[in-house]
Amino acid sequence: MTWSDRLAELGIELPGVAAPLAAYVPAVRSGSHVYTSGQLPFVDGALAATGKVGGEVSPEEAKSHARTATLNALAAVHALVGIDSVVRIVKVVGFVASAEGFTGQPAVVNGASELLGEIFGDAGVHARSAVGVAELPIASPVEVELIVEVK
């Protein structure tokens, strides 16, 4: 089964690649790795939510937004090399715009990790950082970037 087949089996359609907000590209290949730029939870060209997690955005909502941002990162990988070129997910970095005192960043970034496990199984097991930050671009609650090994 290919990763494309797996996505279809799960009923997941990769979105179009989100347009960069500044002077960068969505993903770059170097050797056998693809590095994505940080991806926000855009849906149909609009940010799905704004605000800080633990404040205006609940941790459960933020987990869902991390999933959406991860789909956007996978779309960037797919546009560059094709999703079926993925060998494994190497690393996930998740940034969480955190209200004062919020320390649940790992649970929020599980939205990314769990999705990658659903799609890629053992090849989706990865190293990870979940970082709380004061602000993210355009008031996004989450941002996700990937390092992916490819054929």
Side-chain angles (χ1 to χ4, degrees):
M1 175 182 290
T2 66
W3 300 130
S4 296
D5 293 338
R6 180 66 180 148
L7 287 167
E9 180 180 271
L10 292 170
I12 296 172
E13 188 173 325
L14 292 177
V17 178
L21 298 175
Y24 60 90
V25 295
V28 172
R29 181 176 185 156
S30 179
S32 62
H33 290 90
V34 170
Y35 299 80
T36 71
S37 295
Q39 298 292 315
L40 305 179
F42 283 113
V43 176
D44 297 326
L47 195 58
T50 59
K52 294 188 179 182
V53 182
E56 303 86 359
V57 179
S58 75
E60 296 77 21
E61 291 169 319
K63 182 178 178 181
S64 175
H65 297 315
R67 181 181 176 98
T68 300
T70 303
L71 286 172
N72 289 334
L74 290 174
V77 172
H78 179 61
L80 186 64
V81 298
I83 199 71
D84 292 325
S85 295
V86 171
V87 173
R88 73 167 299 129
I89 306 299
V90 177
K91 185 163 185 184
V92 173
V93 180
F95 300 96
V96 180
S98 301
E100 187 173 337
F102 180 73
T103 60
Q105 294 84 6
V108 170
V109 181
N110 277 349
S113 296
E114 291 169 3
L115 172 66
L116 294 167
E118 289 172 35
I119 296 169
F120 298 106
D122 288 343
V125 176
H126 52 269
R128 187 180 92 176
S129 297
V131 182
V133 298
E135 300 288 342
L136 285 169
I138 62 175
S140 178
V142 297
E143 182 172 348
V144 173
E145 61 182 55
L146 303 178
I147 301 173
V148 180
E149 182 182 355
V150 295
K151 296 178 198 172

